[in-house]
Amino acid sequence: DAGVIQSPRHEVTEMGQEVTLRCKPISGHDYLFWYRQTMMRGLELLIYFNNNVPIDDSGMPEDRFSAKMPNASFSTLKIQPSEPRDSAVYFCASSPIGTLTEAFFGQGTRLTVV
Amino acid sequence: AQTVTQSQPEMSVQEAETVTLSCTYDTSESNYYLFWYKQPPSRQMILVIRQEAYKQQNATENRFSVNFQKAAKSFSLKISDSQLGDTAMYFCAFFSNNAGNMLTFGGGTRLMVKP
């Protein structure tokens, strides 16, 4: 398996524009997570899905952020409108069924909003 | 490219005892940071401890300490007086300003603390 695949690797956009980050989890994994990483705050869990259903989105910073998982092999994280403070690295991760199971991380998308 | 390897998928320890989690990495960088993150059942990623590569002194945070061997590219985490709340996944991570400003994670070690 190729692992968790995120795209794009890097994104530079202007303030006010819509940004869509994409993630393909590992086949057969039932959990998918979106994290945001900054040097100031470390890693923050934004939202996670179980069997394509959002379970906990309490980490989503505000209404400008939305995430979807239309099927088991694809998820998006959208920011509309984007702001400079959204600049960060966004990680997607997936894990198989269970509670304390391994989470496999994608390589991340570095977002810069100017 | 940087790689981070955690060779122990699972470990267990008795409450109050000490456990060491292993991490090795590969990089050509000379200046970088290393981290241990804890992921409890809540799924949050909690920073446990960080180490700057230019510092020879091993970082310590209460019951958590590291053994940083730069020449060997090894960064192990020691948990003393293990508590039930330490049960979690632990991820070793590498960061360098010259490596795309991204964290590179190991595969994780599942630690179970038994009463």
Side-chain angles (χ1 to χ4, degrees), chain A residues 1-5 23-32 69 71-74 93-97 104:
Chain A
D1 197 305
V4 176
I5 300 173
C23 176
K24 180 180 186 303
I26 293 174
S27 177
H29 283 190
D30 292 310
Y31 288 83
L32 183 139
M69 193 166 185
N71 58 62
S73 60
F74 183 66
S94 71
S95 71
I97 292 174
F104 294 82

Side-chain angles (χ1 to χ4, degrees), chain A residues 54-72:
Chain A
I55 302 301
D56 184 355
D57 65 353
S58 60
M60 296 286 264
E62 48 198 276
D63 292 343
R64 297 184 297 106
F65 286 69
S66 62
K68 294 182 180 180
M69 193 166 185
N71 58 62

Side-chain angles (χ1 to χ4, degrees), chain A residues 9-10 31 33 35 37 39 42-45 48 56 89 91 95 98-103 105 107-110, chain B residues 9 33 35 37 39-45 50 87-89 91 95 100-103 105 107-108 110-112:
Chain A
R9 289 293 308 278
H10 302 272
Y31 288 83
F33 311 88
Y35 290 92
Q37 182 251 332
M39 289 308 292
L43 270 174
E44 303 169 282
L45 176 64
Y48 77 90
D56 184 355
V89 179
F91 286 97
S95 71
T99 54
L100 284 176
T101 54
E102 289 188 325
F105 285 82
Q107 291 184 297
T109 294
R110 179 168 181 78
Chain B
Y33 299 84
F35 305 87
Y37 278 91
Q39 188 188 42
S42 67
R43 301 294 183 178
Q44 287 290 339
M45 293 287 272
R50 61 180 279 167
T87 293
M89 285 290 294
F91 293 93
F95 173 85
N101 284 339
M102 290 190 177
L103 277 175
F105 289 93
R110 187 190 325 172
L111 176 66
M112 180 72 70

